[in-house]
RNA sequence: GCGCCUGUAGCUCAUUUGGAUAGAGCAUCGGAUUUCUAAUCCGAGGGUAGUAGGUUCGAGUCCUACCAGGCGUGCCA
């Protein structure tokens, strides 16, 4: 609808105002908050007045008079500073209902992103433990954003980057080995404190024990008293043999990835691609990328380490790529990973990171610019933390002590729908409070139920219709019977839906959809309370049922995007 | 110290890329059910948008300073 009006303005400007200069971007049309000002309004006159040396209001008047004859509008007016207000004719409004009933599941989809490939990388938590609630928000956000982009016609690949090549993995493996030896009652006295401690380490050790008995037992006597973790791990590795260490490593990573995947599955999040950091080492991309950086003067040697000149790209200081001990840093593989992303030729790359990673943006953006072709872009979106509450009590968490709530625990407790909806209710770069009690409650305080109930009520109307042995017959000529204030409000809301899909995708703000759903639900509940839908008069009844049917499609289509069910019955 | 983010009703948050009278929910108070699900609806009160300047037709939104909070600032991962 916005587009229709925009085009009308553009056409009239081109045709009737040849001496007026403007850009298409300057034609802005917005939904009016206040119905006094019509359904839509535009501020073009104010935007282009200055450039054309004329008064906004007089320009608005002129545009108004050349548009007011259009059959789309009941009335057009020009007001005070220079707004042009459009009162859309009722016939045009009813077209929305007709359109929805024709397009059904397709209503809301568009092809803005046609022929554009997008890579959305998200979660990417280290495979050293289960996903916890801190990952939940980014996971849901990334998944919903991906679906939203698909709704806009983009071709989307959802990718999880698995950090399986660094020191943290060695620590994981050592942790498993330690627990395993406790299980088989070895008299080796492990004592290292800084290892992973969660129950899942026991689970992996137990699985190892079940399948391999004591095959991985260390029989040699080794000195485990060294305070340095690198050396400590090296001794264990040597005593065990590299082959066995690698085997345990493989088993551990698989177990944890399986755990991660299953908790994602439970939340209806599915990745198209799992990219392993280790593959960058194995196929020599890492070395090649570092060579390239060296040859093109993006690095230098200092204190026996290789440094990346990230300061040139707005970073606070330069960063190490290869440490004195010859190990690469995370940054090194991250750069190689992004170089590979560029090679894979996506038009848009989106990274979704936790807000605590904001310090890395400039260095990764810098590296990306070095390798990027003109057309590809990298957008790094930050997702803020969510504080968990039980009622008024804050749930404290600390990764170090292993005292954290996993994503699985949260989903088990509040359900997938509430979990997703709550995470999506707020703008992603905004801190938020997540109240578990509220998410679990089944009353009006809980927005998930509020929305789902609105949908269920519509379904129950159709059930009742069937019980009464009546039928719903759609006839577009009936729609003019929709004259109640509440009905027109709902129609306006339905016609705004496609714009919401576009805006929320462009701004990367899926919370606009949850907001929209709450507003739509509110209007449905109001309407339901005030007016009977299954009235005796057949034409009116069918008109109202048409509206309900159309609304049902919008509930279901948007429900699919944010990934919550719309039950028929509650 | 420096850098990034945030600050809107008692609480949790919106505000459609700078628009017209800043809106919801919760909480508080008062009402609605012989009706398609009361998991609902209707009404009331509640605001110097952190503070102070600036930019312009117009600022919660953009700029500057200050105040407060969060995060970051390793040859960590």
């Amino acid at each position: 609808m916005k587009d229709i009006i925009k085009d009308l303005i553009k056409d009239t400007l081109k045709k009737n105002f040849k001496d007026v200069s403007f850009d298409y971007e300057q034609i802005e049309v917005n939904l009016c908050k206040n119905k006094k000002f019509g359904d839509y309004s535009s501020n073009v006159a104010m935007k282009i007045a200055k450039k054309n040396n004329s008064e906004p209001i007089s320009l608005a008047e002129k545009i108004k008079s050349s548009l007011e004859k259009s059959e789309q509008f009941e009335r057009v007016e020009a007001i005070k500073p220079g707004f042009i207000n459009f009162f859309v004719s009722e016939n045009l409004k009813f077209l929305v209902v007709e359109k929805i009933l024709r397009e059904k599941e397709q209503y809301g989809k568009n092809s803005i992103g046609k022929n554009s490939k997008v890579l959305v990388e998200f979660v990417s938590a280290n495979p050293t433990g289960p996903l916890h609630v801190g990952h939940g928000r980014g996971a849901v956000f990334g998944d919903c954003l991906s679906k939203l982009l698909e709704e806009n016609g983009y071709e989307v690949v959802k990718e999880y980057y698995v950090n399986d090549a660094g020191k943290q993995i060695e620590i994981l493996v050592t942790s498993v080995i330690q627990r395993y030896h406790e299980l088989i009652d070895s008299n080796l006295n492990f004592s290292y404190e800084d290892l992973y401690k969660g129950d899942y380490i026991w689970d992996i050790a137990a699985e190892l024990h079940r399948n391999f008995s004591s095959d991985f037992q260390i029989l040699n006597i080794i000195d485990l008293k060294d305070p340095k973790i690198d050396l400590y791990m090296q001794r264990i590795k040597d005593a065990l043999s590299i082959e066995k260490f690698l085997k345990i490593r493989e088993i551990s990573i698989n177990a944890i990835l399986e755990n991660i995947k299953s908790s994602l599955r439970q939340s209806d999040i599915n990745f198209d691609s799992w990219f392993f950091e280790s593959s960058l080492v194995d196929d020599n991309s890492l070395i090649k990328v570092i060579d390239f950086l060296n040859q093109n003067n993006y690095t230098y040697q200092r204190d026996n380490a290789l440094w990346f000149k990230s300061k040139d790209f707005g970073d606070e200081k330069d960063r190490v790529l290869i440490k004195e001990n010859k190990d690469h840093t995370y940054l090194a593989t991250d750069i190689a990973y992004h170089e590979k992303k560029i090679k894979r030729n996506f038009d848009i790359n989106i990274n979704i990171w936790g807000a605590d990673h904001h310090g890395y943006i400039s260095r990764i953006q810098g590296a990306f610019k070095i390798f990027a072709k003109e057309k590809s872009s990298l957008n790094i979106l930050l997702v803020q933390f969510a504080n968990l509450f039980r009622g008024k009590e804050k749930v404290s968490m600390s990764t170090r002590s292993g005292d954290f709530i996993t994503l699985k625990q949260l989903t088990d407790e509040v359900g997938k729908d509430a979990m997703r909806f709550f995470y999506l209710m707020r703008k992603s770069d905004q801190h938020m409070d997540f109240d578990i009690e509220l998410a679990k409650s089944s009353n009006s305080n809980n927005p998930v139920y509020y929305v789902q109930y609105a949908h269920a009520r519509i379904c129950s109307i159709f059930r009742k219709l069937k019980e009464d042995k009546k039928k719903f017959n759609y006839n577009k000529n009936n729609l003019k019977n929709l004259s109640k204030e509440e009905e027109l409000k709902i129609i306006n809301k339905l016609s705004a839906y496609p714009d919401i899909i576009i805006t929320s995708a462009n701004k990367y703000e899926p919370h606009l959809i949850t907001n929209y759903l709450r507003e739509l639900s509110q209007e449905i509940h109001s309407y339901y309370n005030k007016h009977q839908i299954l009235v005796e008069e057949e034409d009116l009844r069918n008109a109202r049922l048409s509206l309900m049917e159309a609304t049902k499609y919008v509930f279901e289509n948007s429900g699919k995007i944010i990934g919550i069910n719309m039950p028929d019955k509650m």
Side-chain angles (χ1 to χ4, degrees):
Chain A
M1 183 70 81
K2 276 187 195 173
D3 293 334
I4 297 174
I5 300 174
K6 269 190 202 176
D7 286 341
L8 281 170
I9 296 174
K10 185 189 72 183
D11 292 344
T12 196
L13 280 176
K14 275 195 175 157
K15 224 162 91 189
N16 304 331
F17 298 84
K18 293 219 169 74
D19 49 334
V20 170
S21 72
F22 68 99
D23 296 326
Y24 185 66
E25 281 72 42
Q26 289 178 302
I27 304 177
E28 207 177 297
V29 172
N30 282 308
L31 212 56
C32 290
K33 282 182 220 164
N34 192 332
K35 287 300 152 213
K36 185 172 94 186
F37 299 122
D39 301 300
Y40 293 87
S41 77
S42 178
N43 53 12
V44 249
M46 289 179 284
K47 286 210 156 172
I48 63 177
K50 204 170 205 179
K51 216 164 141 192
N52 292 287
N53 290 320
S54 61
E55 291 285 309
I57 184 69
S58 64
L59 191 56
E61 290 281 1
K62 283 184 211 157
I63 297 172
K64 172 214 145 184
S65 45
S66 80
L67 277 175
E68 66 188 346
K69 281 154 255 158
S70 311
E71 58 181 12
Q72 282 91 336
F73 307 120
E74 211 162 80
R75 190 148 61 86
V76 181
E77 56 182 33
I79 271 187
K80 292 182 281 185
F83 288 105
I84 307 169
N85 296 333
F86 301 92
F87 295 77
V88 176
S89 75
E90 290 206 337
N91 287 337
L92 192 61
K93 286 186 181 175
F94 294 145
L95 274 181
V96 174
V97 177
E98 211 189 318
K99 187 172 183 209
I100 298 172
L101 293 181
R102 192 174 60 241
E103 296 184 356
K104 300 184 165 135
E105 293 78 15
Q106 303 299 314
Y107 181 66
K109 285 197 196 328
N110 66 67
S111 52
I112 289 174
K114 206 178 164 199
N115 301 324
S116 278
K117 280 168 59 187
V118 187
L119 180 71
V120 183
E121 184 221 320
F122 60 112
V123 188
S124 299
N126 284 346
T128 52
L131 295 179
H132 54 80
V133 287
H135 300 118
R137 193 176 182 186
V140 173
F141 176 72
D143 183 63
C144 182
L145 182 61
S146 301
K147 287 182 175 139
L148 197 49
L149 290 169
E150 280 169 357
E151 199 77 356
N152 282 276
Y154 291 91
E155 193 183 312
V156 180
V157 173
K158 290 178 279 184
E159 183 159 283
Y160 190 122
Y161 177 62
V162 186
N163 283 114
D164 65 335
K167 188 161 114 186
Q168 82 287 352
I169 292 295
E170 312 253 301
I171 298 176
L172 168 74
V173 179
T174 310
S175 308
V176 171
I177 292 171
Q178 174 168 323
R179 290 300 188 214
Y180 170 77
H181 280 79
E182 287 174 48
L183 279 178
I184 59 177
D185 214 13
S186 135
N187 45 19
L188 273 178
N189 189 18
F190 289 94
S191 59
Y192 213 86
E193 282 300 314
D194 289 346
L195 296 176
Y196 296 115
K197 297 222 166 46
D199 288 344
Y200 62 96
I201 300 289
W202 282 110
D203 295 342
I204 300 169
E207 187 196 324
L208 206 59
H209 187 220
R210 216 177 306 121
N211 296 335
F212 297 93
S213 183
S214 52
D215 291 0
F216 293 110
Q217 185 170 4
I218 296 173
L219 298 167
N220 321 353
I221 296 169
I222 50 174
D223 177 11
L224 292 170
K225 291 204 184 78
D226 199 286
K228 288 234 166 70
I229 192 162
D230 290 323
L231 201 52
Y232 181 88
M233 294 196 298
Q234 191 58 47
R235 285 181 186 156
I236 290 176
K237 205 192 273 187
D238 290 343
L240 189 65
S241 88
I242 292 291
E243 291 72 28
K244 286 184 179 173
F245 189 89
L246 288 177
K247 184 71 187 168
I248 297 176
R249 183 195 141 106
E250 186 193 328
I251 290 167
S252 304
I253 292 179
N254 283 343
I256 285 173
L257 280 181
E258 212 25 73
N259 177 306
I260 287 175
K261 283 180 188 176
S262 102
S263 99
L264 289 169
R265 224 178 291 129
Q266 183 188 15
S267 312
D268 270 357
I269 297 166
N270 297 295
F271 282 89
D272 307 305
S273 161
W274 296 75
F275 192 101
F276 289 86
E277 182 191 9
S278 56
S279 74
L280 295 165
V281 180
D282 295 345
D283 72 0
N284 290 326
S285 335
L286 176 64
I287 293 178
K288 285 182 199 157
V289 163
I290 287 181
D291 280 348
F292 180 88
L293 293 175
N294 287 340
Q295 279 160 27
N296 291 277
N297 199 27
Y298 289 113
T299 61
Y300 60 88
Q301 202 77 35
R302 192 180 77 198
D303 302 336
N304 294 319
L306 183 71
W307 296 72
F308 174 51
K309 294 183 182 171
S310 52
K311 217 174 162 188
D312 293 355
F313 299 98
D315 202 354
E316 290 169 42
K317 50 175 283 190
D318 294 337
R319 308 284 168 179
V320 169
L321 291 173
I322 307 288
K323 299 187 247 181
E324 193 174 0
N325 70 2
K326 303 300 166 214
D327 283 350
H328 61 262
T329 59
Y330 257 44
L331 178 62
T333 37
D334 273 346
I335 291 175
Y337 174 43
H338 284 85
E339 188 265 350
K340 192 138 261 183
K341 280 186 181 177
I342 290 162
K343 273 195 187 137
R344 292 203 276 161
N345 242 331
F346 291 95
D347 301 289
I348 302 171
N349 292 280
I350 297 176
N351 291 3
I352 296 168
W353 289 354
D356 53 335
H357 286 75
H358 69 78
Y360 304 131
I361 294 179
S362 55
R363 49 195 110 141
I364 290 295
Q365 286 286 16
F368 192 86
K369 273 191 206 111
I370 293 174
F371 295 102
K373 297 158 203 149
E374 269 175 34
K375 67 163 198 164
S376 59
S377 70
L378 175 66
N379 295 308
I380 300 176
L381 310 180
L382 296 180
V383 175
Q384 278 293 350
F385 302 116
N387 292 316
L388 272 195
F389 282 81
R390 278 187 194 281
K392 288 201 166 140
E393 200 184 329
K394 188 167 174 178
V395 182
S396 69
M397 273 178 294
S398 120
T399 324
R400 189 182 294 169
S401 61
D403 171 30
F404 53 79
I405 298 182
T406 63
L407 181 60
K408 181 176 184 323
Q409 283 169 320
L410 179 67
T411 314
D412 283 344
E413 190 169 349
V414 307
K416 180 213 44 155
D417 289 345
M419 192 276 285
R420 292 186 64 114
F421 198 92
F422 269 67
Y423 273 134
L424 290 172
M425 267 192 314
R426 310 297 181 209
K427 217 193 240 169
S428 60
D429 60 7
Q430 196 75 252
H431 296 268
M432 72 175 280
D433 289 350
F434 189 128
D435 183 348
I436 298 179
E437 292 304 325
L438 179 60
K440 270 189 347 191
S441 67
S442 50
N443 59 47
S444 60
N445 300 0
N446 187 339
V448 186
Y449 282 88
Y450 187 76
V451 169
Q452 291 179 324
Y453 184 43
H455 175 263
R457 273 185 148 174
I458 294 175
C459 295
S460 84
I461 294 167
F462 283 95
R463 268 198 304 277
K464 181 72 166 48
L465 182 77
K466 213 172 169 186
E467 280 167 25
D468 293 348
K469 306 252 185 286
K470 286 181 181 145
K471 280 199 171 153
F472 163 45
N473 294 307
Y474 171 66
N475 178 345
K476 69 174 177 182
N477 296 323
N478 277 341
L479 295 175
K480 61 178 182 298
N481 287 304
L482 298 172
S483 57
K484 299 284 184 220
E485 191 191 335
E486 289 78 8
E487 290 165 341
L488 296 173
K489 271 173 102 172
I490 293 171
I491 290 175
N492 280 334
K493 205 60 164 175
L494 296 180
S495 69
Y497 178 68
D499 290 330
I500 294 284
I501 296 301
I502 294 169
T503 311
S504 52
N506 286 345
K507 295 173 79 172
Y508 301 139
E509 290 182 358
H511 79 282
L512 295 174
I513 299 180
T514 49
N515 281 348
Y516 174 84
L517 272 173
R518 293 171 78 175
E519 288 163 10
L520 180 62
S521 304
Q522 206 242 316
E523 287 176 6
I524 291 298
H525 286 309
S526 285
Y527 180 52
Y528 183 96
N529 269 275
K530 193 159 175 190
H531 302 288
Q532 183 82 8
I533 285 134
L534 299 179
V535 289
E536 277 308 310
E537 193 198 334
E538 208 179 328
D539 284 352
L540 180 60
R541 185 176 69 227
N542 280 322
R544 290 183 171 174
L545 285 169
S546 307
L547 182 61
M548 290 301 100
E549 176 95 337
T551 308
K552 198 160 151 323
Y553 279 116
V554 172
F555 271 118
E556 284 160 9
N557 295 354
S558 52
K560 254 180 236 163
I561 295 171
I562 61 175
I564 68 165
N565 288 315
M566 288 293 174
D568 293 350
K569 211 174 179 176
M570 292 176 76

